[in-house]
Structure formats: C-alpha cells, structure tokens
Amino acid sequence: MKSFPRVIIAAVSSGSGKTTVTAGIIAALKNRGLKVQPYKIGPDYIDPGFHEIASGVPVHNLDAFLVGKENIEKIFTSTFGDADIAIIEGVMGLYDGGRGGISSTAEISKILNAPVILIIDAKSMGTSAAAIALGFREFDGEVNFAGVILNRVGSESHAKMIFDALEKLEIKCFGAVKRNPEFTMPERHLGLVPTAENNFKEIIEKISVGISSELNLDEILKIANSAKPLNFEKNISVKKNPVAKIGIAHDEAFNFYYPESLKELENFGAELIFFSPLNDEDLPPVDGLIFGGGFPEMFAERLERNKKIRRAVFDAANSGMPIFAECGGFMYLTESLKNFEGKIFEMCGVIPGSAEMTEKLQTVGYIEANLIRDCVIGKTGDKIRAHEFHFSEKIGGSGKEIFDCTKIRTGKKYLAGFSEKNVVASYLHIHFSGCTFAAKNFVEACKKFSKDCNIL
C-alpha cells in the first residue's frame, strides 16, 4: 500500500466551469512549488490539454468502460510517479456516465477511494445551491463527498448567502470563484478548442491567480492528503529493442491520443515516430501508420494543399502497409471532405466515399464492436470497446465495413468502418490499454510488413 494524495473535481453538469476551475487549481498548486499530476475521467482528448499546460506534465485518462474497472487503479498508481498530489477532473455531472452509470465520476471516485469536491455554477441562484449540494451528497452514500466550490458568483453578498445555507447543512465550501469574462475558454462543435491550436498559457495563468485568492487551497490539499492508501506494484520496465517503427500523425489537425494507449504499442516493441500531415512533405521511414482523431475539417484546405504527403499515404496503403485510423484520421483517408461551409477538399483517397460535416451531432456514446473479419488489429469475433463522438458522416463507399457495433445506451446495432488490405479505419475511438490484443496485433502486422519488404 502507498499514499497517493488525490482529489476529484466534479460538477453538477457539463458547462459548470469544471475544466476552467480544475486547470486553475492545478496551475495554482504548481505555482506553490508542488508537482501536480492531473487526470481526466472519461473519453476526452481536449480537456487534458489544458491541464497539461497548467501542470507541465502529460495527463492520463481514467475510463472504466474503455479500459475496464480492474485497470483503473493500476493506471492511476503507475502514472502518479513522484507527484505531490493528483487532481482528477470528472466528466459531465458527478453521477453521469454510460448506461447504468458506467465510468461516471462517482464510479471512478469509488474505485480510487478519492474524495470529491463538487463545483456548483451559482449564477442565477442563491440558497438553492445548498439544496443542490445536499442532494448530491445524499444521493450515494458510498461517494466520499468532501464539499463544494461555488463558481460564477456575482458578489461577496451572493457568496455569503450560499455559504450560510451550506453551513447549516454542515457542507464544507472551499471557496467561491467570481464571474470573470477573462476566464472563458473558446469553444466550438466538439467542446473546447484544443490547446494544440492555440497557446492558452496566459489565460490559465490568469485563472490560477483568481483561484489562489478565491479558493482555500490549503483545505483542498488537506482533503487530498486524507485519501486512504492504494495498492501499488512498482513497474520494472525492460527496454526492448524496437521490432517495428510506427508513424503517429500529430499536429493541429490530428492530436486525439491517450498517452497510456500509445504506451501499449511501445510495450509490444513499437518505436513511435511523430509526423505532421499538415506540415511534412513526406512520411517518415516507418512500417505502419496511425491517424488519430482531431479536427481535419478545420484544416481541410491545408491538408488538401499538401498533395505530396497525401499521395504518400495512398501509396503506403496500396503497398500493404498497416494503417489504423480513428474518426478525424478516418475522414482524412476518404476521397474528400466537405466542411461546415459546404466546400469540398480532396483527401487521401484510400477509402471510397467522402466525409461530410453536418449541423447535427451524429452520435455520441460508448460502443461495443465485434470484428466481422480478420484484420491488422484482430481476428473475426474479437470484441472491442470504443467511444464515438462526431458531427460528420461518411457518404458512399459502403460494403467494406469491419465492425459490427452495438450502442451501449440504446442497443442500436449497425455496421461501421472500413477495412481493405492492411487498412482499418472508422469513427470509433479505442484505448489500447482496454484491448491490448489490438495493440499487439497491429505491432505484429507492422513487424511482418517490415520483414516482407526487406525480403523483397
């Protein structure tokens, strides 16, 4: 057993200012000289970017559906390192998650036995905020409910009205953050604008100054240090000679990757080489390619303009090189991409059909998918847990789907994705820590491709 000081910052609902306040707390603690290790609950690629700016270290996701409940504690303890404290941002509202509350903030809090501080957006309410806090505290007695943070209060008297009501209920308040237009993070169709596109350091630093003066950081540290010890097995990493080189598309257009997911590829002997479909003229010398999610629709003109690398991707696919693509990467591999303004841009042409942005969210939620034939990530019948979240849809080019999907929330079934030669692409986001066989199979496919090329 080992001590891991930790606290979860939860909220009543999405839009309560959870990411902003969490990033501010992280930065404020770092400015005190503490080493903070941030985490994000749920299938989120964007919010961790803000916490990485605030902390200066990579941020890890904790998702009980994607990686399995049994792996949450291991991922947490193995990535805590020499940190002084872990600040864990929740997902949506405290009790919101997949069907049956799977991977909700509440569920993760119980797995990690972590105290929870609830953010309440107090704008346009007074004493009712205390009633909300009471309901959240009493809803599940197994959640270690430590208290609340008030956000977007209008004045000292506004805050005091709620403080007094909370005190009567014996609910601890760690402070109140005043409304401040300078604390606003820019948003668009999938949520906050990713940090890969802008430098938000100045905004986060301003937020941290406000947080330092408005929240009781000493009490937050005290609560974090009260968390009970967890089981811990020290990992003895053995450096392996790489068996294959895998190119990872990474730039402003493609940056949706879980650090622990990429690490699984390395665990099976992959050497990861990062490249940019936006800025590089050619592919690096690799044995396989991975195109993660992102926002290709926001950079479609630049992606189209880089004809040389698009041709290189097309030729790599035709040569039999293993290629795995998710969501934005899937869109990039199609013949064309239509953006929100209706303009059409040429893409790689690996996948028949086009990707078209729509005004309506097409789908969001957890998925269970079965492979319907052998491919570079697995065998027929292999089960994969995934998450989908996209505003685009694939038009045309059906008939080469690779996944038989079932939506967890509704039970809806459908075929999805594309597979031909050694290409596997779809809208599904997966986490290799939750399906290590997929990482192993992909690395093995890249190794075989490298060997076959050398023989030829």
Side-chain angles (χ1 to χ4, degrees), residues 65 91-92 95-104 365-366 408-409:
F65 179 80
V91 58
M92 299 184 288
Y95 298 107
D96 302 323
R99 190 172 185 179
I102 182 73
S103 202
S104 66
Y366 290 123
I408 297 302
R409 189 176 292 275

Side-chain angles (χ1 to χ4, degrees), residues 322-401:
I323 298 177
F324 178 70
E326 297 182 336
C327 204
F330 175 50
M331 295 161 65
Y332 179 60
L333 295 186
T334 62
E335 294 174 334
S336 63
L337 192 165
K338 181 189 285 189
N339 68 8
F340 284 111
E341 288 72 44
K343 295 181 180 179
I344 298 175
F345 301 90
E346 287 186 11
M347 294 290 113
C348 294
V350 173
I351 300 173
S354 63
E356 299 185 4
M357 302 306 299
T358 64
E359 293 183 4
K360 182 182 176 183
L361 177 66
Q362 293 301 301
T363 189
V364 59
Y366 290 123
I367 308 291
E368 278 190 346
N370 294 334
L371 290 173
I372 57 179
R373 60 182 177 278
D374 295 354
C375 63
V376 291
I377 63 169
K379 303 291 184 183
T380 304
D382 282 346
K383 296 182 185 298
I384 287 176
R385 287 187 163 190
H387 184 265
E388 281 192 85
F389 185 20
H390 55 93
F391 273 78
S392 70
E393 60 181 344
K394 167 87 162 29
I395 305 297
S398 61
K400 295 181 179 178
E401 293 86 356

Side-chain angles (χ1 to χ4, degrees), residues 161-378:
M161 180 194 308
I162 305 173
F163 288 161
D164 291 344
L166 289 168
E167 189 175 11
K168 290 179 182 177
L169 297 171
E170 297 183 341
I171 296 175
K172 189 175 187 62
C173 185
F174 294 88
V177 181
K178 293 186 177 68
R179 292 175 213 159
N180 189 331
E182 292 187 349
F183 290 3
T184 303
M185 304 284 197
E187 298 186 38
R188 61 171 176 236
H189 54 285
L190 292 184
L192 296 176
V193 175
T195 55
E197 297 178 35
N198 288 284
N199 185 357
F200 292 96
K201 188 163 186 165
E202 187 177 330
I203 296 176
I204 291 173
E205 194 53 44
K206 283 182 180 178
I207 295 169
S208 74
V209 172
I211 292 292
S212 294
S213 62
E214 295 170 337
L215 298 187
N216 192 331
L217 295 177
D218 289 332
E219 285 298 313
I220 291 175
L221 285 168
K222 185 177 177 181
I223 288 295
N225 280 294
S226 73
K228 294 179 180 178
L230 296 172
N231 291 314
F232 175 66
E233 293 182 16
K234 190 170 183 179
N235 287 335
I236 303 174
S237 59
V238 179
K239 186 80 174 176
K240 295 180 180 178
N241 292 325
V243 299
K245 296 181 179 181
I246 298 178
I248 309 292
H250 195 282
D251 54 23
E252 301 96 312
F254 307 100
N255 47 71
F256 289 4
Y257 298 101
Y258 301 123
E260 285 298 293
S261 188
L262 293 180
K263 187 179 176 183
E264 290 293 346
L265 296 168
E266 294 178 317
N267 290 341
F268 289 110
E271 177 185 348
L272 306 185
I273 299 174
F274 295 89
F275 71 98
S276 170
L278 282 173
N279 304 312
D280 294 339
E281 289 191 355
D282 209 342
L283 295 172
V286 293
D287 311 306
L289 295 169
I290 291 180
F291 294 90
F295 289 96
E297 66 272 20
M298 307 306 295
F299 302 91
E301 185 175 355
R302 285 176 60 191
L303 290 169
E304 180 188 58
R305 200 183 311 141
N306 196 343
K307 294 181 179 179
K308 191 174 179 183
I309 200 165
R310 285 194 291 111
R311 181 67 198 188
V313 172
F314 180 85
D315 290 343
N318 275 348
S319 74
M321 178 182 286
I323 298 177
F324 178 70
E326 297 182 336
C327 204
F330 175 50
M331 295 161 65
Y332 179 60
L333 295 186
T334 62
E335 294 174 334
S336 63
L337 192 165
K338 181 189 285 189
N339 68 8
F340 284 111
E341 288 72 44
K343 295 181 180 179
I344 298 175
F345 301 90
E346 287 186 11
M347 294 290 113
C348 294
V350 173
I351 300 173
S354 63
E356 299 185 4
M357 302 306 299
T358 64
E359 293 183 4
K360 182 182 176 183
L361 177 66
Q362 293 301 301
T363 189
V364 59
Y366 290 123
I367 308 291
E368 278 190 346
N370 294 334
L371 290 173
I372 57 179
R373 60 182 177 278
D374 295 354
C375 63
V376 291
I377 63 169

Side-chain angles (χ1 to χ4, degrees), residues 58-83:
V59 180
H60 301 279
N61 288 69
L62 303 170
D63 192 300
F65 179 80
L66 293 182
V67 305
K69 294 180 185 180
E70 67 280 4
N71 290 319
I72 292 295
E73 187 173 333
K74 179 182 176 183
I75 289 175
F76 176 78
T77 58
S78 66
T79 55
F80 186 91
D82 60 351

Side-chain angles (χ1 to χ4, degrees), residues 25-42:
I25 292 172
I26 292 167
L29 292 175
K30 185 189 176 190
N31 290 340
R32 283 189 170 198
L34 296 174
K35 184 171 182 182
V36 184
Q37 177 57 63
Y39 295 85
K40 170 65 184 179
I41 296 173

